[in-house]
């Protein structure tokens, strides 16, 4: 099952398969560790469309939901195994 990062439920993780961004947005995603092959875990979702709190490897970060829509995931699992 594939879905975009903005739809990942809290306490779930998935493998990044694609990042649909270009230019500076693609560079920013890569700098944050959001690249194909990495596992990402959803820690929390801010209310009212606010940012998403994620873990990629040992790093925790916050991104906008708009940016999260560009990240496609597969192999979704319950649990925060984001390393």
């Amino acid at each position: 099952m594939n879905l975009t990062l903005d739809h990942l439920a809290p306490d779930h993780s998935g493998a990044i398969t694609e990042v649909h961004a270009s230019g500076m947005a693609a560079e920013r995603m890569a700098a944050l560790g959001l690249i194909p092959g990495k596992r990402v875990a959803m820690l929390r979702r801010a209310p009212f469309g606010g940012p998403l709190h994620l873990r990629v490897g040992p790093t925790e970060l916050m991104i906008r939901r708009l940016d999260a829509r560009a990240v496609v995931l597969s192999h979704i699992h319950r649990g925060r195994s984001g390393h």
Side-chain angles (χ1 to χ4, degrees):
M1 172 166 94
N2 290 341
L3 65 122
T4 55
L5 181 55
D6 61 312
H7 287 100
L8 190 65
D11 205 29
H12 283 72
S13 65
I16 299 173
T17 58
E18 300 174 70
V19 178
H20 296 286
S22 60
M24 293 296 287
E27 290 179 27
R28 181 174 177 273
M29 296 286 209
L32 292 171
L34 298 170
I35 56 174
K38 289 281 192 163
R39 215 157 166 79
V40 61
M42 179 68 66
L43 302 178
R44 286 185 296 236
R45 301 169 66 89
F48 309 111
L52 305 174
H53 183 190
L54 311 171
R55 179 180 294 130
V56 181
T59 305
E60 291 186 18
L61 55 110
M62 304 282 284
I63 68 167
R64 299 178 302 173
R65 291 181 194 222
L66 178 65
D67 294 330
R69 287 185 196 126
V71 180
V72 180
L73 305 174
S74 66
H75 305 293
I76 310 303
H77 297 284
R78 182 163 174 81
R80 293 183 181 177
S81 59
H83 327 331

